[in-house]
Amino acid sequence: MQNYNVNIELSGDRFSVTYILSGEEDVARIIAKHICVEQTVEFPEELLPDGDIRRHIVGRIESFTALGHDKWKTEISFANETSGFELPQLLNNIFGNISLEPGIRVDNLSLSAKFLSCFRGPRFGREGIRTLVRVPHRPLLSTALKPMGLPPAELADLAYQFALGGIDIIKDDHGLANQPFSTWSERVHRCTEAVARANAQTGYSSIYMPNVTAPANVIEKFAYQAKSIGVGGLLIAPGLTGFDIVRQLASDANLRLPLMSHPAFLGSFVTDPFSGISHRVLFGQMMRLAGADATVYPNHGGRFSFTEDACRSIVEGATTPMGHIAPIFPTPGGGMTQERIPEMIKMYGREAIFLIGGGLFKGVGNITENSKRLLNVVTEACVNL
Amino acid sequence: MQNYNVNIELSGDRFSVTYILSGEEDVARIIAKHICVEQTVEFPEELLPDGDIRRHIVGRIESFTALGHDKWKTEISFANETSGFELPQLLNNIFGNISLEPGIRVDNLSLSAKFLSCFRGPRFGREGIRTLVRVPHRPLLSTALKPMGLPPAELADLAYQFALGGIDIIKDDHGLANQPFSTWSERVHRCTEAVARANAQTGYSSIYMPNVTAPANVIEKFAYQAKSIGVGGLLIAPGLTGFDIVRQLASDANLRLPLMSHPAFLGSFVTDPFSGISHRVLFGQMMRLAGADATVYPNHGGRFSFTEDACRSIVEGATTPMGHIAPIFPTPGGGMTQERIPEMIKMYGREAIFLIGGGLFKGVGNITENSKRLLNVVTEACVNL
């Protein structure tokens, strides 16, 4: 094979990935070269045919700089065509085989406007969701129906109480699937009806988002059923379903429902700070590229271990300019309470969805009263924003 | 809510997960309790309604033992019903939210025969694949078509040469998707034809497995197209597509093609030894439960960092008794060469697929000669097995 020349048509446009590498400089430089090969040709370099494969298909080190403490930052570019302009293969390019090696962390993605034009991204984005729930200015409020085990009628009653209290987005807890004690169809019918009934009383436009994290052959069917029942959006956990079904749902012109992504089963990508994928990329850029309109993650200081910096980087990934791809809502949750609101507003401003689950069950009042109080706190805290 | 009683029908059968926890004993005990709540009700325990939710839906600590060095092993059981008897929700039960916390590692799954009866598992298993390639005794040989960038005609020529040399399973490299320089459909047609042509000459029953790691709305279509073209199996990377599509393909009685799983994008689950999911569970039990018939992973001593122990544990997960679920083929690869064969046979015995990619391009002969030599080495080394 060494002796023949392969020429293929390539646009010359490339996407690039910034990786943080750990180790001494000579090792890190070897790893950078290794990424170029492993993420593309996976082939002994000396045996590659001459021509375009060697010149353009193998990844290219665009920069390599020291971060100190045996940490290095390298930007590696890949021909757009290696992705086939498809999300699963793009993820594979970025971190397929090298996910198997410790000491490599995906830090940032840089995709040209031209490349991004191959991806629809979120159909609604922040503005689309605001229009839907008719809340133009303040941060939105979301809560989760739980605990798992409650029958649909009880969950619907909770949904009704939350909606009466003015919670904008009432979603299934991500552990509500299609269990015998709460089947998907009955739950979605009842909760949708309950939220509509509350809206008729309050004049609000609260929406219900059922969980469609379901078997692969069921997700689309559930999404359409949910649409016909009259839900306001869908919750999905790409760690469990794959990222590409999010893209499929977001791209479907007949569906047109906002999508909220949940981080379940994705934590291992971020827990080791020197391996895996950065919070910014995973919960920001990737969710957005896939087409989520809101990205749920555990806020710092809650039940989970995300730092404040990690949360800020998610906001960055969810909102900084990215070609035609709309900014989406960071949706911090995971043990948040009403008491955290002033501080959350200080950190996130108005462009966020605050997800408060169990916290609304606590406190002095009933659920509707607690929800109303939360809404008041947020509304008042935003007057000066 | 505290004051009402929820009673739901549950079979009493429970599945259990063994977790390894890190930290001092009191912290580890708190984490164990936390897992019980977080992976089910996700709700302030003191506010749970009385009755079955508190008694049976919340996870239950079955054991908690010291491993030494601030490591602890705890077995936690969950009502089968919490999974909805569906794979995505089962994975969510096992490691959904707690994936977001370092210091928790899924070590083993224990599922009753009754629970397992809800899952088909692999359609072929080791024996089914052996029948297909007509190799009753020795380890099977597999290789990958690459490098990315070659046009379909060149890849088909490689497939032909490998098949002439007697390689049993010739698969797409996992980076071959549907790129403009090698479209999926043309590649699959040409490679299938090439392997059939070689079989007609040799009398062997080599099979070609194209990669169906594709957009969510395309995978099933590709699988059926591949079937009608005459392929012998399919390659898929569940880290990129989600695990459940593997189950869907394996369960499809009209498809009936063996499935080989690829580990791309899954490495972050295993790289930190004290967080994530064990090699045994991820590449053994989960792949098998999903329905893969062969599970690819990087062998120790190759281009990746898996230890020999990790590889042995994958074999364990892939083959130890698991209800009616058939044992599947461990498929070690990742930089293997002919020289490693005697040692690989010593470690794996005959019940494995040896995946040798780039290594077959090296050496003194051409690809067919190298493949023949490899087949001879394996056949001879197996005489005394």
Side-chain angles (χ1 to χ4, degrees), chain A residues 38 146 174 216 244 267 303, chain B residues 38 42 99 174 216 244 303:
Chain A
E38 192 66 43
K146 48 186 173 181
H174 80 288
D244 198 69
R303 294 200 307 277
Chain B
E38 192 68 42
E42 257 194 271
S99 72
H174 81 287
D244 199 68
R303 294 200 307 277

Side-chain angles (χ1 to χ4, degrees), chain B residues 144-167:
Chain B
L145 300 174
K146 48 185 170 182
M148 178 195 285
L150 284 188
E154 308 293 343
L155 292 166
D157 187 50
L158 289 178
Y160 177 71
Q161 294 179 60
F162 284 128
L164 270 192
I167 301 295

